[in-house]
Coordinates of all heavy atoms in Angstrom, one line a residue:
Chain B
S2 N -22.7 -38.0 20.0 CA -22.9 -39.2 19.9 C -22.2 -39.9 18.7 O -21.7 -39.2 17.8 CB -24.3 -39.4 19.9 OG -25.0 -38.8 18.8
S3 N -22.1 -41.2 18.7 CA -21.2 -41.9 17.7 C -22.0 -42.0 16.4 O -21.4 -42.2 15.4 CB -21.0 -43.2 18.3 OG -22.0 -44.0 18.4
D4 N -23.3 -41.9 16.3 CA -24.0 -42.0 15.1 C -24.1 -40.7 14.3 O -25.3 -40.3 13.9 CB -25.3 -42.8 15.2 CG -26.1 -42.2 16.3 OD1 -25.7 -41.1 17.0 OD2 -27.3 -42.6 16.5
T5 N -23.2 -39.8 14.4 CA -23.3 -38.6 13.7 C -22.0 -38.4 12.8 O -21.0 -39.2 12.9 CB -23.2 -37.5 14.7 OG1 -22.0 -37.5 15.4 CG2 -24.4 -37.6 15.7
M6 N -22.1 -37.4 11.9 CA -20.9 -37.1 11.1 C -20.2 -35.9 11.7 O -20.5 -34.8 11.6 CB -21.5 -36.8 9.7 CG -22.3 -37.7 9.0 SD -22.8 -37.1 7.4 CE -24.2 -38.1 7.1
G47 N -25.5 -33.3 16.6 CA -24.8 -33.6 15.4 C -25.6 -33.9 14.1 O -26.8 -34.2 14.2
V48 N -24.9 -33.9 12.9 CA -25.5 -34.3 11.8 C -25.6 -35.7 11.8 O -24.7 -36.6 11.9 CB -24.8 -33.8 10.6 CG1 -25.3 -34.4 9.2 CG2 -24.6 -32.3 10.5
P49 N -26.9 -36.3 11.8 CA -27.1 -37.8 11.8 C -26.4 -38.5 10.7 O -26.7 -38.1 9.6 CB -28.5 -37.9 12.0 CG -29.0 -36.7 11.4 CD -28.2 -35.5 11.6
D50 N -25.9 -39.6 11.1 CA -25.6 -40.6 10.0 C -26.7 -41.8 10.0 O -27.7 -41.7 10.8 CB -24.2 -41.1 10.1 CG -24.0 -42.1 11.2 OD1 -25.1 -42.6 11.8 OD2 -22.9 -42.4 11.6
R51 N -26.4 -42.8 9.2 CA -27.5 -43.8 9.0 C -27.5 -44.7 10.2 O -28.5 -45.6 10.2 CB -27.3 -44.5 7.7 CG -27.5 -43.5 6.5 CD -27.4 -44.2 5.2 NE -28.6 -45.0 5.1 CZ -28.8 -46.0 4.0 NH1 -27.6 -46.1 3.1 NH2 -29.9 -46.6 3.9
H52 N -26.8 -44.6 11.1 CA -27.0 -45.6 12.4 C -28.0 -45.0 13.3 O -28.5 -45.5 14.2 CB -25.6 -45.7 13.0 CG -24.6 -46.5 12.2 ND1 -23.6 -45.8 11.7 CD2 -24.5 -47.6 11.8 CE1 -22.8 -46.6 10.9 NE2 -23.3 -47.8 11.0
N53 N -28.3 -43.6 13.0 CA -29.4 -43.0 13.7 C -30.7 -43.5 13.1 O -31.0 -43.5 12.0 CB -29.3 -41.5 13.5 CG -30.3 -40.7 14.3 OD1 -31.4 -41.1 14.4 ND2 -29.9 -39.6 15.0
E54 N -31.5 -44.1 14.2 CA -32.9 -44.7 13.7 C -33.7 -43.8 12.9 O -34.3 -44.3 12.0 CB -33.5 -45.2 15.0 CG -34.7 -46.1 14.7 CD -34.6 -47.3 14.2 OE1 -33.4 -47.9 14.1 OE2 -35.4 -47.9 13.4
E55 N -33.7 -42.6 13.2 CA -34.5 -41.6 12.5 C -34.1 -41.2 11.1 O -34.7 -40.7 10.3 CB -34.6 -40.3 13.3 CG -35.4 -40.4 14.7 CD -36.8 -40.6 14.5 OE1 -37.5 -39.8 13.9 OE2 -37.3 -41.9 14.9
W56 N -32.8 -41.8 10.8 CA -32.2 -41.4 9.6 C -31.7 -42.6 8.8 O -30.8 -42.6 8.0 CB -31.1 -40.3 9.7 CG -31.5 -39.0 10.1 CD1 -31.9 -38.6 11.4 CD2 -31.8 -37.9 9.3 NE1 -32.3 -37.4 11.3 CE2 -32.3 -36.8 10.0 CE3 -31.6 -37.7 7.9 CZ2 -32.6 -35.6 9.5 CZ3 -31.9 -36.4 7.4 CH2 -32.5 -35.4 8.2
K57 N -32.4 -43.7 9.3 CA -32.0 -45.0 8.7 C -32.0 -45.0 7.2 O -31.2 -45.7 6.5 CB -32.9 -46.1 9.3 CG -32.4 -47.4 9.2 CD -33.4 -48.3 10.1 CE -33.5 -49.8 9.8 NZ -34.3 -50.5 10.4
T59 N -32.3 -42.4 5.0 CA -32.0 -41.1 4.5 C -30.4 -40.9 4.8 O -30.1 -40.5 5.9 CB -32.8 -39.9 4.8 OG1 -34.2 -40.3 4.4 CG2 -32.4 -38.7 4.1
N60 N -29.7 -40.9 3.8 CA -28.2 -40.8 3.9 C -27.8 -39.5 3.5 O -27.8 -39.1 2.3 CB -27.5 -41.9 3.1 CG -26.1 -42.0 3.4 OD1 -25.5 -41.2 4.1 ND2 -25.4 -43.1 2.9
L61 N -27.2 -38.6 4.5 CA -26.7 -37.3 4.1 C -25.2 -37.2 3.9 O -24.5 -36.2 3.8 CB -27.0 -36.4 5.3 CG -28.5 -35.9 5.6 CD1 -28.6 -35.0 6.7 CD2 -29.0 -35.3 4.2
A62 N -24.7 -38.5 3.6 CA -23.2 -38.6 3.5 C -22.7 -37.7 2.4 O -21.6 -37.2 2.4 CB -22.9 -39.9 3.2
E65 N -21.3 -34.4 3.3 CA -20.0 -34.5 4.0 C -18.8 -33.9 3.1 O -17.9 -33.3 3.5 CB -19.6 -35.9 4.4 CG -19.3 -36.0 5.7 CD -19.1 -37.6 6.1 OE1 -19.6 -38.3 5.4 OE2 -18.6 -37.8 7.2

Side-chain angles (χ1 to χ4, degrees):
Chain B
S2 50
S3 61
D4 50 1
T5 61
M6 301 179 204
V48 173
D50 72 12
R51 295 184 73 190
H52 298 105
N53 182 317
E54 186 62 24
E55 293 292 296
W56 289 81
K57 199 170 157 184
T59 298
N60 189 353
L61 287 176
E65 225 172 353

